Protein backbone atom coordinates (compact mmCIF):
# COMPACT_ATOMS: atom_id res chain seq x y z
CA UNK A 1 0.00 0.00 0.00
CA UNK A 2 1.51 3.32 -1.08
CA UNK A 3 0.08 6.39 0.64
CA UNK A 4 -0.26 9.21 -1.91
CA UNK A 5 0.55 12.42 -0.08
CA UNK A 6 -0.39 16.01 -0.86
CA UNK A 7 1.87 17.90 1.54
CA UNK A 8 0.48 21.38 2.18
CA UNK A 9 2.45 22.13 5.33
CA UNK A 10 6.19 21.50 5.20
CA UNK A 11 6.43 21.29 8.99
CA UNK A 12 4.22 18.20 8.88
CA UNK A 13 6.27 16.34 6.25
CA UNK A 14 8.77 14.63 8.53
CA UNK A 15 6.32 13.72 11.34
CA UNK A 16 3.96 12.35 8.69
CA UNK A 17 6.71 10.15 7.22
CA UNK A 18 7.73 8.98 10.70
CA UNK A 19 4.14 8.03 11.56
CA UNK A 20 3.64 6.20 8.26
CA UNK A 21 6.90 4.24 8.47
CA UNK A 22 6.08 3.29 12.07
CA UNK A 23 2.62 2.14 10.92
CA UNK A 24 4.05 -0.17 8.27
CA UNK A 25 3.92 2.12 5.23
CA UNK A 26 7.57 2.74 4.26
CA UNK A 27 6.91 3.59 0.59
CA UNK A 28 5.63 7.14 0.27
CA UNK A 29 4.50 8.95 -2.89
CA UNK A 30 4.63 12.74 -2.59
CA UNK A 31 2.54 14.56 -5.19
CA UNK A 32 4.70 17.31 -6.68
CA UNK A 33 1.67 19.49 -7.40
CA UNK A 34 1.76 21.25 -4.01
CA UNK A 35 3.96 24.25 -3.25
CA UNK A 36 6.40 22.56 -0.89
CA UNK A 37 6.43 19.09 -2.43
CA UNK A 38 10.08 19.02 -3.45
CA UNK A 39 11.22 20.26 -0.03
CA UNK A 40 8.91 17.69 1.56
CA UNK A 41 10.60 14.87 -0.37
CA UNK A 42 13.99 15.98 0.98
CA UNK A 43 12.60 16.20 4.56
CA UNK A 44 10.88 12.82 4.42
CA UNK A 45 13.99 11.12 3.11
CA UNK A 46 15.68 11.89 6.42
CA UNK A 47 13.34 9.44 8.14
CA UNK A 48 14.97 6.05 8.65
CA UNK A 49 13.27 3.36 6.59
CA UNK A 50 11.31 5.74 4.37
CA UNK A 51 11.43 5.19 0.61
CA UNK A 52 10.21 8.46 -0.87
CA UNK A 53 9.10 8.99 -4.45
CA UNK A 54 7.49 11.75 -6.48
CA UNK A 55 4.01 11.56 -8.01
CA UNK A 56 2.29 13.62 -10.71
CA UNK A 57 5.54 13.85 -12.69
CA UNK A 58 4.36 14.70 -16.19
CA UNK A 59 7.43 15.79 -18.19
CA UNK A 60 11.25 15.58 -18.24
CA UNK A 61 11.66 18.92 -16.43
CA UNK A 62 9.57 17.73 -13.49
CA UNK A 63 11.42 14.43 -13.57
CA UNK A 64 14.76 16.25 -13.22
CA UNK A 65 13.43 18.42 -10.38
CA UNK A 66 12.09 15.38 -8.53
CA UNK A 67 15.39 13.52 -8.89
CA UNK A 68 17.30 16.61 -7.70
CA UNK A 69 15.04 16.71 -4.64
CA UNK A 70 16.01 13.12 -3.87
CA UNK A 71 13.02 11.16 -5.17
CA UNK A 72 13.81 7.44 -5.21
CA UNK A 73 11.01 6.52 -7.59
CA UNK A 74 8.79 8.36 -10.04
CA UNK A 75 5.04 8.03 -10.58
CA UNK A 76 3.23 9.65 -13.50
CA UNK A 77 -0.50 9.83 -14.24
CA UNK A 78 0.19 8.93 -17.88
CA UNK A 79 2.94 7.96 -20.29
CA UNK A 80 4.58 9.99 -23.04
CA UNK A 81 7.58 8.91 -25.07
CA UNK A 82 9.52 11.96 -23.83
CA UNK A 83 8.94 11.20 -20.18
CA UNK A 84 9.43 7.47 -20.68
CA UNK A 85 12.79 7.90 -22.40
CA UNK A 86 13.94 10.44 -19.79
CA UNK A 87 13.01 8.19 -16.86
CA UNK A 88 14.70 5.18 -18.43
CA UNK A 89 17.84 7.26 -19.14
CA UNK A 90 17.82 8.45 -15.50
CA UNK A 91 17.77 4.80 -14.41
CA UNK A 92 15.18 5.43 -11.70
CA UNK A 93 12.21 3.18 -10.82
CA UNK A 94 9.33 4.52 -12.89
CA UNK A 95 5.60 3.83 -12.63
CA UNK A 96 3.80 5.51 -15.52
CA UNK A 97 0.02 5.68 -15.66
CA UNK A 98 -1.96 3.60 -18.14
CA UNK A 99 -5.71 3.22 -18.63
CA UNK A 100 -6.04 1.41 -21.97
CA UNK A 101 -4.51 -1.38 -24.04
CA UNK A 102 -2.87 1.21 -26.28
CA UNK A 103 -1.24 2.90 -23.28
CA UNK A 104 0.20 -0.44 -22.16
CA UNK A 105 1.46 -1.20 -25.67
CA UNK A 106 3.27 2.15 -25.76
CA UNK A 107 4.90 1.24 -22.45
CA UNK A 108 5.88 -2.21 -23.68
CA UNK A 109 7.51 -0.57 -26.72
CA UNK A 110 9.72 1.31 -24.24
CA UNK A 111 10.54 -1.91 -22.38
CA UNK A 112 8.29 -1.13 -19.40
CA UNK A 113 6.15 -3.78 -17.70
CA UNK A 114 5.10 -2.15 -14.40
CA UNK A 115 2.38 0.48 -14.56
CA UNK A 116 0.13 2.64 -12.44
CA UNK A 117 -3.48 1.88 -13.42
CA UNK A 118 -5.04 5.34 -13.33
CA UNK A 119 -7.70 6.50 -12.67
CA UNK A 120 -8.45 2.99 -11.46
CA UNK A 121 -12.11 3.19 -10.48
CA UNK A 122 -13.17 5.64 -13.20
CA UNK A 123 -11.37 3.63 -15.91
CA UNK A 124 -13.50 0.57 -15.30
CA UNK A 125 -12.36 -0.67 -11.95
CA UNK A 126 -11.46 -4.24 -11.13
CA UNK A 127 -13.38 -5.69 -14.10
CA UNK A 128 -11.36 -3.60 -16.57
CA UNK A 129 -8.00 -4.45 -15.02
CA UNK A 130 -8.93 -8.15 -15.00
CA UNK A 131 -9.76 -7.91 -18.70
CA UNK A 132 -6.41 -6.23 -19.45
CA UNK A 133 -4.54 -9.03 -17.67
CA UNK A 134 -5.53 -11.40 -20.52
CA UNK A 135 -3.51 -9.86 -23.36
CA UNK A 136 -0.94 -8.32 -21.02
CA UNK A 137 -0.17 -11.13 -18.60
CA UNK A 138 3.47 -10.05 -18.40
CA UNK A 139 2.50 -6.70 -16.80
CA UNK A 140 2.02 -5.78 -13.16
CA UNK A 141 -0.02 -2.86 -11.89
CA UNK A 142 -0.43 -0.36 -9.08
CA UNK A 143 -4.07 0.77 -9.26
CA UNK A 144 -4.59 4.31 -7.98
CA UNK A 145 -7.43 6.78 -8.20
CA UNK A 146 -10.69 6.40 -6.35
CA UNK A 147 -9.57 3.46 -4.23
CA UNK A 148 -10.77 3.46 -0.63
CA UNK A 149 -10.27 1.62 2.62
CA UNK A 150 -13.35 -0.43 1.67
CA UNK A 151 -12.11 -1.46 -1.80
CA UNK A 152 -8.37 -1.86 -1.24
CA UNK A 153 -8.45 -5.56 -0.29
CA UNK A 154 -10.37 -6.51 -3.44
CA UNK A 155 -7.76 -4.74 -5.59
CA UNK A 156 -4.83 -6.30 -3.74
CA UNK A 157 -6.35 -9.75 -4.28
CA UNK A 158 -5.80 -9.51 -8.07
CA UNK A 159 -2.83 -11.56 -9.35
CA UNK A 160 -1.52 -8.73 -11.50
CA UNK A 161 -1.67 -6.12 -8.73
CA UNK A 162 1.58 -5.63 -6.82
CA UNK A 163 0.50 -2.66 -4.74
CA UNK A 164 -2.21 -0.02 -4.50
CA UNK A 165 -1.84 3.74 -4.15
CA UNK A 166 -4.25 6.13 -2.54
CA UNK A 167 -4.67 9.43 -0.80
CA UNK A 168 -7.34 8.22 1.63
CA UNK A 169 -4.68 7.04 4.10
CA UNK A 170 -3.66 10.66 4.77
CA UNK A 171 -6.42 13.07 3.68
CA UNK A 172 -4.88 16.39 2.66
CA UNK A 173 -6.76 18.42 5.27
C1 LIG B 1 -3.62 11.36 -7.67
O1 LIG B 1 -2.75 11.63 -8.48
O2 LIG B 1 -4.47 12.18 -7.30
C2 LIG B 1 -3.58 10.02 -7.05
O3 LIG B 1 -3.50 9.03 -7.96
C3 LIG B 1 -4.50 9.75 -5.91
O4 LIG B 1 -5.75 9.32 -6.23
P1 LIG B 1 -6.86 9.22 -5.06
O5 LIG B 1 -6.89 10.59 -4.41
O6 LIG B 1 -8.16 8.91 -5.75
O7 LIG B 1 -6.41 8.17 -4.09
Amino acid sequence: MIPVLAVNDLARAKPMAEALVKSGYPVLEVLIRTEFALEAIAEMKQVAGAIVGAGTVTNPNELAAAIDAGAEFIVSPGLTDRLGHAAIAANIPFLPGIATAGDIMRGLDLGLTHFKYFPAEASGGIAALKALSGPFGQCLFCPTGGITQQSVDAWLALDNVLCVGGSWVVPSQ
Side-chain angles (χ1 to χ4, degrees):
M1 173 57 218
I2 303 179
V4 174
L5 307 169
V7 181
N8 294 308
D9 179 355
L10 189 55
R12 292 200 173 170
K14 210 169 160 191
M16 191 191 293
E18 283 165 353
L20 287 165
V21 170
K22 208 187 278 183
S23 305
Y25 299 111
V27 182
L28 309 175
E29 178 187 336
V30 178
L31 300 174
I32 63 163
R33 54 190 196 236
T34 68
E35 191 180 350
F36 302 113
L38 296 177
E39 291 95 328
I41 290 171
E43 288 273 315
M44 289 176 154
K45 272 195 68 176
Q46 294 171 22
V47 175
I51 300 164
V52 186
T56 322
V57 173
T58 60
N59 60 53
N61 289 342
E62 292 174 357
L63 174 79
I67 291 172
D68 282 352
E72 294 164 276
F73 63 93
I74 300 294
V75 184
S76 171
L79 176 60
T80 66
D81 283 349
R82 279 178 73 223
L83 180 60
H85 284 300
I88 290 164
N91 198 25
I92 187 163
F94 176 48
L95 206 50
I98 61 87
T100 67
D103 294 341
I104 296 173
M105 288 159 64
R106 201 164 55 254
L108 290 172
D109 281 350
L110 291 168
L112 302 169
T113 53
H114 291 55
F115 302 102
K116 163 172 168 160
Y117 177 50
F118 179 79
E121 293 289 3
S123 297
I126 286 175
L129 191 55
K130 269 189 183 164
L132 287 169
S133 73
F136 302 111
Q138 72 275 52
C139 297
L140 292 168
F141 301 93
C142 175
T144 309
I147 295 173
T148 64
Q149 183 75 54
Q150 287 67 41
S151 64
V152 64
D153 288 344
W155 282 102
L156 284 171
L158 300 185
D159 287 343
N160 59 349
V161 168
L162 269 187
C163 54
V164 165
S167 63
W168 86 88
V169 180
V170 184
S172 57
Q173 67 272 25

PDB file of all heavy atoms in Angstrom, residues 4 29 31 33 55-56 75 77 116 118-119 144-148 165-168, ligand 1:
ATOM      1  N   VAL A   4      -0.498   8.107  -0.962  1.00  0.00           N
ATOM      2  CA  VAL A   4      -0.263   9.207  -1.908  1.00  0.00           C
ATOM      3  C   VAL A   4      -0.497  10.503  -1.144  1.00  0.00           C
ATOM      4  O   VAL A   4      -1.604  10.743  -0.651  1.00  0.00           O
ATOM      5  CB  VAL A   4      -1.211   9.077  -3.110  1.00  0.00           C
ATOM      6  CG1 VAL A   4      -1.078  10.275  -4.026  1.00  0.00           C
ATOM      7  CG2 VAL A   4      -0.927   7.782  -3.873  1.00  0.00           C
ATOM      8  N   GLU A  29       4.543   8.180  -1.637  1.00  0.00           N
ATOM      9  CA  GLU A  29       4.498   8.952  -2.890  1.00  0.00           C
ATOM     10  C   GLU A  29       4.055  10.380  -2.574  1.00  0.00           C
ATOM     11  O   GLU A  29       2.925  10.601  -2.122  1.00  0.00           O
ATOM     12  CB  GLU A  29       3.530   8.301  -3.880  1.00  0.00           C
ATOM     13  CG  GLU A  29       3.398   9.093  -5.173  1.00  0.00           C
ATOM     14  CD  GLU A  29       2.313   8.556  -6.087  1.00  0.00           C
ATOM     15  OE1 GLU A  29       1.972   7.367  -5.991  1.00  0.00           O
ATOM     16  OE2 GLU A  29       1.798   9.348  -6.907  1.00  0.00           O
ATOM     17  N   LEU A  31       3.008  13.896  -3.970  1.00  0.00           N
ATOM     18  CA  LEU A  31       2.543  14.562  -5.190  1.00  0.00           C
ATOM     19  C   LEU A  31       3.304  15.873  -5.355  1.00  0.00           C
ATOM     20  O   LEU A  31       3.346  16.691  -4.427  1.00  0.00           O
ATOM     21  CB  LEU A  31       1.040  14.842  -5.089  1.00  0.00           C
ATOM     22  CG  LEU A  31       0.154  13.601  -4.919  1.00  0.00           C
ATOM     23  CD1 LEU A  31      -1.292  14.009  -4.670  1.00  0.00           C
ATOM     24  CD2 LEU A  31       0.254  12.700  -6.139  1.00  0.00           C
ATOM     25  N   ARG A  33       2.518  18.358  -7.002  1.00  0.00           N
ATOM     26  CA  ARG A  33       1.671  19.487  -7.396  1.00  0.00           C
ATOM     27  C   ARG A  33       1.334  20.424  -6.240  1.00  0.00           C
ATOM     28  O   ARG A  33       0.518  21.323  -6.405  1.00  0.00           O
ATOM     29  CB  ARG A  33       0.419  19.001  -8.114  1.00  0.00           C
ATOM     30  CG  ARG A  33      -0.402  17.985  -7.362  1.00  0.00           C
ATOM     31  CD  ARG A  33      -1.483  17.399  -8.279  1.00  0.00           C
ATOM     32  NE  ARG A  33      -2.508  16.726  -7.520  1.00  0.00           N
ATOM     33  CZ  ARG A  33      -2.858  15.455  -7.699  1.00  0.00           C
ATOM     34  NH1 ARG A  33      -2.250  14.728  -8.620  1.00  0.00           N
ATOM     35  NH2 ARG A  33      -3.813  14.916  -6.989  1.00  0.00           N
ATOM     36  N   GLY A  55       5.158  11.861  -7.151  1.00  0.00           N
ATOM     37  CA  GLY A  55       4.011  11.560  -8.009  1.00  0.00           C
ATOM     38  C   GLY A  55       3.557  12.791  -8.767  1.00  0.00           C
ATOM     39  O   GLY A  55       3.944  13.919  -8.446  1.00  0.00           O
ATOM     40  N   THR A  56       2.737  12.568  -9.785  1.00  0.00           N
ATOM     41  CA  THR A  56       2.287  13.620 -10.714  1.00  0.00           C
ATOM     42  C   THR A  56       3.467  14.231 -11.472  1.00  0.00           C
ATOM     43  O   THR A  56       3.517  15.443 -11.716  1.00  0.00           O
ATOM     44  CB  THR A  56       1.468  14.738 -10.021  1.00  0.00           C
ATOM     45  OG1 THR A  56       0.626  14.182  -9.021  1.00  0.00           O
ATOM     46  CG2 THR A  56       0.567  15.451 -11.038  1.00  0.00           C
ATOM     47  N   VAL A  75       6.379   8.458 -10.155  1.00  0.00           N
ATOM     48  CA  VAL A  75       5.044   8.028 -10.581  1.00  0.00           C
ATOM     49  C   VAL A  75       4.462   9.121 -11.466  1.00  0.00           C
ATOM     50  O   VAL A  75       4.599  10.316 -11.176  1.00  0.00           O
ATOM     51  CB  VAL A  75       4.114   7.781  -9.372  1.00  0.00           C
ATOM     52  CG1 VAL A  75       2.766   7.236  -9.840  1.00  0.00           C
ATOM     53  CG2 VAL A  75       4.764   6.824  -8.376  1.00  0.00           C
ATOM     54  N   PRO A  77       0.889  10.207 -13.958  1.00  0.00           N
ATOM     55  CA  PRO A  77      -0.504   9.830 -14.241  1.00  0.00           C
ATOM     56  C   PRO A  77      -0.683   9.216 -15.628  1.00  0.00           C
ATOM     57  O   PRO A  77      -1.684   8.562 -15.899  1.00  0.00           O
ATOM     58  CB  PRO A  77      -1.267  11.156 -14.129  1.00  0.00           C
ATOM     59  CG  PRO A  77      -0.241  12.221 -14.316  1.00  0.00           C
ATOM     60  CD  PRO A  77       1.061  11.663 -13.824  1.00  0.00           C
ATOM     61  N   LYS A 116       1.209   2.165 -13.305  1.00  0.00           N
ATOM     62  CA  LYS A 116       0.133   2.641 -12.442  1.00  0.00           C
ATOM     63  C   LYS A 116      -1.153   2.535 -13.265  1.00  0.00           C
ATOM     64  O   LYS A 116      -1.180   2.984 -14.429  1.00  0.00           O
ATOM     65  CB  LYS A 116       0.420   4.096 -12.061  1.00  0.00           C
ATOM     66  CG  LYS A 116      -0.754   4.881 -11.511  1.00  0.00           C
ATOM     67  CD  LYS A 116      -0.299   6.233 -10.986  1.00  0.00           C
ATOM     68  CE  LYS A 116      -1.471   7.159 -10.706  1.00  0.00           C
ATOM     69  NZ  LYS A 116      -1.134   8.256  -9.787  1.00  0.00           N
ATOM     70  N   PHE A 118      -4.468   4.062 -13.780  1.00  0.00           N
ATOM     71  CA  PHE A 118      -5.042   5.340 -13.332  1.00  0.00           C
ATOM     72  C   PHE A 118      -5.963   5.946 -14.385  1.00  0.00           C
ATOM     73  O   PHE A 118      -5.602   5.945 -15.568  1.00  0.00           O
ATOM     74  CB  PHE A 118      -3.901   6.322 -13.031  1.00  0.00           C
ATOM     75  CG  PHE A 118      -4.400   7.675 -12.589  1.00  0.00           C
ATOM     76  CD1 PHE A 118      -4.832   7.884 -11.289  1.00  0.00           C
ATOM     77  CD2 PHE A 118      -4.449   8.735 -13.489  1.00  0.00           C
ATOM     78  CE1 PHE A 118      -5.306   9.126 -10.883  1.00  0.00           C
ATOM     79  CE2 PHE A 118      -4.925   9.978 -13.091  1.00  0.00           C
ATOM     80  CZ  PHE A 118      -5.345  10.174 -11.785  1.00  0.00           C
ATOM     81  N   PRO A 119      -7.085   6.550 -13.995  1.00  0.00           N
ATOM     82  CA  PRO A 119      -7.696   6.498 -12.665  1.00  0.00           C
ATOM     83  C   PRO A 119      -8.451   5.199 -12.482  1.00  0.00           C
ATOM     84  O   PRO A 119      -9.395   4.921 -13.249  1.00  0.00           O
ATOM     85  CB  PRO A 119      -8.633   7.712 -12.681  1.00  0.00           C
ATOM     86  CG  PRO A 119      -8.959   7.953 -14.127  1.00  0.00           C
ATOM     87  CD  PRO A 119      -7.822   7.424 -14.950  1.00  0.00           C
ATOM     88  N   THR A 144      -4.502   3.088  -8.788  1.00  0.00           N
ATOM     89  CA  THR A 144      -4.592   4.315  -7.984  1.00  0.00           C
ATOM     90  C   THR A 144      -5.685   5.182  -8.589  1.00  0.00           C
ATOM     91  O   THR A 144      -5.830   5.238  -9.811  1.00  0.00           O
ATOM     92  CB  THR A 144      -3.253   5.099  -8.019  1.00  0.00           C
ATOM     93  OG1 THR A 144      -2.190   4.221  -7.686  1.00  0.00           O
ATOM     94  CG2 THR A 144      -3.276   6.251  -7.029  1.00  0.00           C
ATOM     95  N   GLY A 145      -6.396   5.874  -7.721  1.00  0.00           N
ATOM     96  CA  GLY A 145      -7.434   6.783  -8.204  1.00  0.00           C
ATOM     97  C   GLY A 145      -8.801   6.260  -7.846  1.00  0.00           C
ATOM     98  O   GLY A 145      -9.311   5.348  -8.511  1.00  0.00           O
ATOM     99  N   GLY A 146      -9.351   6.796  -6.756  1.00  0.00           N
ATOM    100  CA  GLY A 146     -10.692   6.399  -6.352  1.00  0.00           C
ATOM    101  C   GLY A 146     -10.740   5.179  -5.459  1.00  0.00           C
ATOM    102  O   GLY A 146     -11.822   4.705  -5.101  1.00  0.00           O
ATOM    103  N   ILE A 147      -9.581   4.642  -5.097  1.00  0.00           N
ATOM    104  CA  ILE A 147      -9.572   3.456  -4.227  1.00  0.00           C
ATOM    105  C   ILE A 147      -9.741   3.912  -2.773  1.00  0.00           C
ATOM    106  O   ILE A 147      -9.278   4.991  -2.390  1.00  0.00           O
ATOM    107  CB  ILE A 147      -8.278   2.653  -4.465  1.00  0.00           C
ATOM    108  CG1 ILE A 147      -8.318   2.122  -5.904  1.00  0.00           C
ATOM    109  CG2 ILE A 147      -8.145   1.509  -3.470  1.00  0.00           C
ATOM    110  CD1 ILE A 147      -7.079   1.453  -6.371  1.00  0.00           C
ATOM    111  N   THR A 148     -10.433   3.094  -2.015  1.00  0.00           N
ATOM    112  CA  THR A 148     -10.766   3.463  -0.633  1.00  0.00           C
ATOM    113  C   THR A 148     -10.390   2.332   0.320  1.00  0.00           C
ATOM    114  O   THR A 148     -10.072   1.213  -0.119  1.00  0.00           O
ATOM    115  CB  THR A 148     -12.280   3.710  -0.484  1.00  0.00           C
ATOM    116  OG1 THR A 148     -12.955   2.460  -0.737  1.00  0.00           O
ATOM    117  CG2 THR A 148     -12.779   4.770  -1.441  1.00  0.00           C
ATOM    118  N   GLY A 165      -2.127   2.399  -4.665  1.00  0.00           N
ATOM    119  CA  GLY A 165      -1.842   3.735  -4.155  1.00  0.00           C
ATOM    120  C   GLY A 165      -3.130   4.452  -3.819  1.00  0.00           C
ATOM    121  O   GLY A 165      -4.177   4.175  -4.406  1.00  0.00           O
ATOM    122  N   GLY A 166      -3.041   5.378  -2.846  1.00  0.00           N
ATOM    123  CA  GLY A 166      -4.253   6.132  -2.541  1.00  0.00           C
ATOM    124  C   GLY A 166      -4.012   7.226  -1.533  1.00  0.00           C
ATOM    125  O   GLY A 166      -3.121   7.149  -0.693  1.00  0.00           O
ATOM    126  N   SER A 167      -4.822   8.266  -1.680  1.00  0.00           N
ATOM    127  CA  SER A 167      -4.673   9.428  -0.796  1.00  0.00           C
ATOM    128  C   SER A 167      -5.530   9.296   0.452  1.00  0.00           C
ATOM    129  O   SER A 167      -5.408  10.108   1.360  1.00  0.00           O
ATOM    130  CB  SER A 167      -5.057  10.698  -1.557  1.00  0.00           C
ATOM    131  OG  SER A 167      -6.422  10.642  -1.921  1.00  0.00           O
ATOM    132  N   TRP A 168      -6.423   8.276   0.491  1.00  0.00           N
ATOM    133  CA  TRP A 168      -7.344   8.220   1.634  1.00  0.00           C
ATOM    134  C   TRP A 168      -6.604   7.966   2.956  1.00  0.00           C
ATOM    135  O   TRP A 168      -7.109   8.313   4.016  1.00  0.00           O
ATOM    136  CB  TRP A 168      -8.416   7.141   1.393  1.00  0.00           C
ATOM    137  CG  TRP A 168      -8.001   5.774   1.820  1.00  0.00           C
ATOM    138  CD1 TRP A 168      -8.155   5.226   3.070  1.00  0.00           C
ATOM    139  CD2 TRP A 168      -7.343   4.782   1.024  1.00  0.00           C
ATOM    140  NE1 TRP A 168      -7.629   3.946   3.081  1.00  0.00           N
ATOM    141  CE2 TRP A 168      -7.131   3.651   1.853  1.00  0.00           C
ATOM    142  CE3 TRP A 168      -6.925   4.724  -0.310  1.00  0.00           C
ATOM    143  CZ2 TRP A 168      -6.500   2.503   1.380  1.00  0.00           C
ATOM    144  CZ3 TRP A 168      -6.306   3.577  -0.772  1.00  0.00           C
ATOM    145  CH2 TRP A 168      -6.100   2.481   0.063  1.00  0.00           C
TER     146      TRP A 168
HETATM  147  C1  LIG B   1      -3.621  11.359  -7.668  1.00  0.00           C
HETATM  148  O1  LIG B   1      -2.749  11.629  -8.484  1.00  0.00           O
HETATM  149  O2  LIG B   1      -4.474  12.185  -7.296  1.00  0.00           O
HETATM  150  C2  LIG B   1      -3.580  10.015  -7.048  1.00  0.00           C
HETATM  151  O3  LIG B   1      -3.496   9.028  -7.959  1.00  0.00           O
HETATM  152  C3  LIG B   1      -4.500   9.749  -5.905  1.00  0.00           C
HETATM  153  O4  LIG B   1      -5.750   9.315  -6.234  1.00  0.00           O
HETATM  154  P1  LIG B   1      -6.858   9.222  -5.063  1.00  0.00           P
HETATM  155  O5  LIG B   1      -6.887  10.586  -4.410  1.00  0.00           O
HETATM  156  O6  LIG B   1      -8.156   8.907  -5.746  1.00  0.00           O
HETATM  157  O7  LIG B   1      -6.412   8.170  -4.092  1.00  0.00           O
END
